[in-house]
Amino acid sequence: GAMSVDSITDLSDNTSKLLEALQLSHPYELDAQRSLGKKKMLSLNPISWQVPRIVDRCCKHIERHGLQTVGIFRVGSSKKRVQQLREEFDQGLDVFLDEHQSVHDVAALLKEFLRDMPDSLIPGELYGAFLSTATMEGPVQLATLQLLLFLLPPCHSDTLHRLLRFLSTVARHAESSWGPDGQEIPGNKMTVANLATIFGPNILQKEKPGEKDAGAMNFEDSAAIILVLQRLIEHHQALFMV
């Protein structure tokens, strides 16, 4: 049967060691690999879940408190409060986000983190390859995207998976619905297309400002980025299934 990448973290220690052993080409490599394991994670099926704390906590906060917030990611935030949160995470403090934090501030913090990563979530060297899938269709497009996702470093792969899962949840609450008592539950208006438009340029970046050939993104690239991220959000479950 198929196994989701993140479900490996739910396995017992013994099973994890078995998985680790199965990834080795020869039995005699096992001891050396175990000693290296503490310094470097295995490149396939990493045993631990490598997602930055700031990403996971921002996603959880919005999932708990912001799914019905209209215009989430589009409404302005307090620059001062966002900067304060950013500094606390940068200092390595154990920052807890609760209901007293503004959803818009947390949303802005998440966008800033993704935008300012030294190497974008989808590494720059894969930018052209990911964009080329925009001209593909159907199963060929999805198969190509999955192969490209396999090339991501474990931390990038895990973080992208967490983010796409989160964006899919936000999009499911875009439309208004009706509660059991007949009361209207407002939608957040953030469809997959809207989310892809906002997050696409933060995740897929060709060059960092000031680097060689850096310049304004052309319209074709911008449209392709949005389309590719839409596909990643819509099909993330299948794409990250081993």
Side-chain angles (χ1 to χ4, degrees), residues 59-108:
C59 290
K60 282 180 179 174
H61 180 269
I62 297 170
E63 285 167 346
R64 287 171 185 158
H65 307 291
L67 293 179
Q68 269 79 47
T69 303
V70 178
I72 182 73
F73 297 114
R74 280 191 164 170
V75 175
S77 57
S78 163
K79 289 185 179 180
K80 184 177 180 180
R81 289 198 300 266
V82 173
Q83 183 62 29
Q84 183 179 352
L85 284 172
R86 183 171 175 155
E87 288 173 358
E88 289 175 0
F89 274 107
D90 283 345
Q91 292 166 13
L93 301 177
D94 197 7
V95 184
F96 286 97
L97 302 173
D98 55 26
E99 66 274 11
H100 301 298
Q101 301 285 352
S102 163
V103 170
H104 297 297
D105 291 347
V106 175

Side-chain angles (χ1 to χ4, degrees), residues 101-122:
Q101 301 285 352
S102 163
V103 170
H104 297 297
D105 291 347
V106 175
L109 180 66
L110 178 60
K111 284 193 296 183
E112 276 192 21
F113 177 82
L114 295 170
R115 181 195 68 204
D116 296 341
M117 287 177 67
D119 192 9
S120 55
L121 196 50
I122 293 177

Side-chain angles (χ1 to χ4, degrees), residues 4-6 49 156-166 236-237 240:
S4 174
V5 173
D6 62 338
W49 187 235
H156 288 247
S157 176
D158 288 351
T159 305
L160 181 61
H161 187 195
R162 177 67 180 99
L163 182 68
L164 294 173
R165 207 171 70 213
F166 161 70
H236 73 277
Q237 285 182 308
F240 280 87

Side-chain angles (χ1 to χ4, degrees), residues 62 66-74 166-178 184-196 233:
I62 297 170
L67 293 179
Q68 269 79 47
T69 303
V70 178
I72 182 73
F73 297 114
R74 280 191 164 170
F166 161 70
L167 294 178
S168 176
T169 301
V170 173
R172 283 201 305 272
H173 291 79
E175 303 299 326
S176 297
S177 58
W178 300 94
E184 184 179 6
I185 301 172
N188 57 45
K189 311 297 185 191
M190 297 306 295
T191 62
V192 171
N194 288 339
L195 292 168
I233 296 171

